Amino acid sequence: MKNNSADLYTLMNYLKRCPIEFLQPSLHTPPGTLHTNALVADLLRKISGNPLMPASSLPTQVELSLFNQNQLISIHLGCWFFWQELFFNNPASLSQVNHFLMKELPELSMHVNYQKYIDDDERTEEFVRLALRCCSVLPTGETQQEAADKLDGLNTVKRLAILLETNKKIQRMKAIKKKMEEDQAREAANVYGRE
């Protein structure tokens, strides 16, 4: 990365302006339409500064076929996001961008619909912060700890885990309460039966 900081809100607004063409399905599409493989390859070549970058260093059709449609469209959004001069001609960030596109973003997109990255400000911010973290870029005016804390506060996977754990605790409490009520009813019935 040429610069180790970037304006978070400028990047969020840029992501929200993603053209509708990037939000179309991919993989087994007719010729002349958007194709994830070509889109990722073009981006990585632009970032590397090498238009003749070997195909062996690009994601394969087989790798991409493991993702569902939501994950693929999210990768399209990632390609749109990184298609900025800020990220161009920087071979050092190539593996970081590829890691975001092929690992971090698909994992997050198992829990977030791609449209939320555009429509929901918190999911937009989470997307941008995660992309910046993967590229070792700090939002302007934030320390590394502040950036980490803010991303942690937006973390969808962590939030879902907390909700799941909370729901399990509530279910356990309901089961205990039900058992106590049944025990009390049984005890009351026994007392009434003895009289």
Side-chain angles (χ1 to χ4, degrees), residues 157-170:
V157 176
K158 185 176 181 180
R159 189 181 74 237
L160 290 172
I162 290 170
L163 289 173
L164 182 62
E165 186 59 34
T166 300
N167 191 39
K168 285 180 184 177
K169 288 179 182 178
I170 290 170

Side-chain angles (χ1 to χ4, degrees), residues 4-15:
N4 66 350
S5 73
D7 183 67
L8 179 73
Y9 297 103
T10 300
L11 295 175
M12 287 176 62
N13 286 328
Y14 179 84
L15 181 62

Side-chain angles (χ1 to χ4, degrees), residues 22-74:
F22 280 73
L23 307 179
Q24 301 304 311
S26 182
L27 272 188
H28 308 292
T29 54
T33 59
L34 185 65
H35 197 282
T36 306
N37 222 23
L39 191 60
V40 172
D42 286 349
L43 172 69
L44 295 179
R45 286 183 171 116
K46 191 74 171 174
I47 290 172
S48 74
N50 179 5
L52 303 174
M53 189 172 145
S56 61
S57 53
L58 300 171
T60 67
Q61 187 75 8
V62 173
E63 288 174 289
L64 290 169
S65 70
L66 299 175
F67 299 133
N68 65 37
Q69 209 60 1
N70 184 63
Q71 291 168 312
L72 290 171
I73 295 173
S74 297

Side-chain angles (χ1 to χ4, degrees), residues 177-193:
K177 183 178 177 187
K178 182 178 178 184
K179 180 157 178 23
M180 288 173 61
E181 288 172 348
E182 289 171 353
D183 289 348
Q184 287 175 344
R186 206 173 4 264
E187 182 62 33
N190 287 343
V191 169
Y192 180 75

